[in-house]
Amino acid sequence: MRDEETTPQTATGTLSPGAPAATRAGAPAPRTGPAPWTLRLVALGLVLTALNLRPAITSLGALLEEVRDGLHMSGSVAGVLTSVPPLCFAVFGVMAPRLARRFGPGAVVCAGMVAITAGLVIRPLVGGTAGFLAASALALMGIAVSNVLMPVIVKRWFPDRVGSMTGLYSMALALGTSLAAAVTVPLTGAMGGSWKAGLGIWAVLAAAAILPWLPLLRARTTAHEPVPAAARPEAPELRITRSRTAWALACFFGLQATAAYITMGWMPQIFRDAGVSAGTAGVLLALTMAMGVPLAFVIPRVAARMRTQGPIVVLLGACGLTGYAGLYLAPSGGAWAWALLLGVSNCAFPLALTMIGMRARSGAGVVRLSAFAQSTGYLISIPGPLLVGVLYQHSGGWGVPIALMAALMVPQMAVGVLAGRDRTIEDES
């Protein structure tokens, strides 16, 4: 099934095998694929969507204490709140393939941006914890389906530029993550100190991401069209759970997500307990997250040119192991170096997204692989941050938790090498 891949090529004037003789003789070729302005809109939509896939989470983290006080939220409920994102990503991400087949990936992403906007608008307006959690879940549902379908849209609209386009939206995702973490508190202060305004302001950015997708809702007859009827009988033959590559990619995605959530949730506390000031600990976390902006653009481009991505997996894992060793031996003495290394290690996320696009031959395969790898992976990631907190509380220090973080890096490297082999899920299902 190569219908999704050939559509953009015909837009550039490439002749199909059945083109009329008059066309071959030099007559202008009919434009059967998306126009250049359409591809620009898709690229703009990808970037704006990616910018909105994390601010709902990181803006809340920056104001969690104020939200707890304002809603009279218990510490246990606040702890549950921090575990809601990966759970929602796992549960709602499973819905994405069916929705994409029914309505088209672009329409579903557009609806996801509407859900994020609505959730961010409603969340500050509710007066209780239950309503706050429900509005957060609405925004996270939009993020979950968009997470799954971003690689699918890249595969369908830009089949010859999977690496560069994945890098572009991965960079935008990292930028949105770090931007929300860095400016939410200052923005809140500038708007009078209300945590409700500080959280709600991000709905403006989400609303802007809806606009590029609206003209594309009419384009389902081109790259957004589901798999043609002639190819549909082949779809049931793809049993994703029989693919070793799919399982390896799901485990790799889950372990890298575990490391990322542990880093975002606990690294500042590790530095503060080592004697680093609270302000410096926040800057160190910002450095770790900011590393994803340039590397998220570079790594997918490099990975897409390689037959196997195992060497990149090992390199990123080695950076993680070195960073954890530094946190264990000299957390304050080399704090900047450890933050830098862990930031490089966390760039396994854009690598995982790139491999999702490379490990399936068809758009339909990418839909299923993306949903399976991300949903299963986020389920795997849920216990990690909670387990680190339990170990820290019972051991009275960071030695055991850091040892756990380092130990998890070993299987991450192993399954990453397996996921990076030059094969597709269609060959194994």
Side-chain angles (χ1 to χ4, degrees):
M1 289 184 289
R2 298 186 61 83
D3 54 295
E4 300 90 355
E5 297 181 21
T6 55
T7 300
Q9 292 173 355
T10 58
T12 62
T14 303
L15 292 176
S16 61
T23 302
R24 300 176 192 275
R31 184 179 296 278
T32 59
W37 70 266
T38 306
L39 295 178
R40 295 189 191 102
L41 266 184
V42 175
L44 178 61
L46 283 170
V47 171
L48 288 177
T49 297
L51 284 171
N52 284 281
L53 294 183
R54 292 300 179 270
I57 303 169
T58 51
S59 62
L60 176 59
L63 296 173
L64 185 57
E65 184 175 346
E66 289 79 5
V67 173
R68 285 181 56 187
D69 294 341
L71 296 178
H72 308 290
M73 190 183 296
S74 67
S76 59
V77 173
V80 171
L81 186 60
T82 60
S83 301
V84 165
L87 179 61
C88 287
F89 292 166
V91 173
F92 294 126
V94 177
M95 301 163 50
R98 180 173 297 180
L99 292 172
R101 287 194 297 270
R102 176 67 180 85
F103 301 104
V108 177
V109 171
C110 182
M113 293 301 102
V114 173
I116 295 172
T117 304
L120 292 178
V121 169
I122 296 170
R123 188 164 67 172
L125 300 179
V126 297
T129 300
F132 189 90
L133 288 171
S136 296
L138 177 61
L140 292 169
M141 178 176 65
I143 295 173
V145 294
S146 301
N147 272 336
V148 170
L149 294 178
M150 295 288 272
V152 178
I153 290 174
V154 168
K155 183 76 170 182
R156 290 194 171 191
W157 287 96
F158 307 98
D160 54 342
R161 287 181 281 166
V162 170
S164 60
M165 295 307 297
T166 301
L168 181 64
Y169 85 75
S170 297
M171 182 175 66
L173 193 153
L175 179 61
T177 304
S178 56
L179 188 66
V183 307
T184 295
V185 172
L187 279 176
T188 301
M191 293 184 292
S194 170
W195 63 266
K196 295 183 178 182
L199 292 183
I201 190 65
W202 294 102
V204 177
L205 182 62
I210 299 172
L211 301 179
W213 298 108
L214 295 178
L216 297 171
L217 297 182
R218 303 176 182 176
R220 289 187 60 203
T221 55
T222 57
H224 281 210
E225 183 68 28
V227 180
R232 284 175 191 160
E234 300 180 15
E237 298 179 5
L238 181 59
R239 288 179 168 81
I240 197 78
T241 54
R242 294 184 179 180
S243 169
R244 294 181 180 180
T245 297
W247 278 107
L249 190 49
C251 292
F252 178 68
F253 194 97
L255 289 170
Q256 67 80 26
T258 299
Y261 279 109
I262 290 174
T263 298
M264 287 187 288
W266 292 110
M267 195 177 77
Q269 192 63 48
I270 295 175
F271 285 129
R272 292 183 67 175
D273 288 351
V276 177
S277 68
T280 302
V283 173
L284 288 168
L285 177 61
L287 172 65
T288 300
M289 298 168 68
M291 287 301 300
V293 177
L295 290 180
F297 184 70
V298 173
I299 289 176
R301 293 172 64 90
V302 174
R305 294 189 178 100
M306 302 174 66
R307 288 178 58 86
T308 63
Q309 291 72 48
I312 303 179
V313 171
V314 173
L315 177 61
L316 297 180
C319 289
L321 287 173
T322 305
Y324 288 135
L327 284 181
Y328 184 88
L329 298 173
S332 60
W336 294 98
W338 316 142
L340 187 69
L341 286 168
L342 291 175
V344 174
S345 179
N346 282 347
C347 288
F349 175 69
L351 176 61
L353 294 178
T354 306
M355 289 196 289
I356 287 174
M358 298 178 68
R359 297 286 89 89
R361 289 196 298 268
S362 67
V366 175
V367 171
R368 296 189 182 187
L369 179 59
S370 183
F372 177 76
Q374 294 199 45
S375 297
T376 305
Y378 281 121
L379 280 177
I380 292 172
S381 72
I382 291 173
L386 299 175
L387 182 57
V388 166
V390 170
L391 291 176
Y392 172 60
Q393 182 176 350
H394 286 81
S395 66
W398 285 106
V400 175
I402 291 174
L404 172 66
M405 299 178 207
L408 290 175
M409 192 60 63
V410 176
Q412 177 180 320
M413 294 165 67
V415 294
V417 170
L418 292 176
R421 294 176 299 174
D422 184 21
R423 59 190 62 190
T424 62
I425 57 171
E426 288 87 353
D427 299 329
E428 300 175 336
S429 303

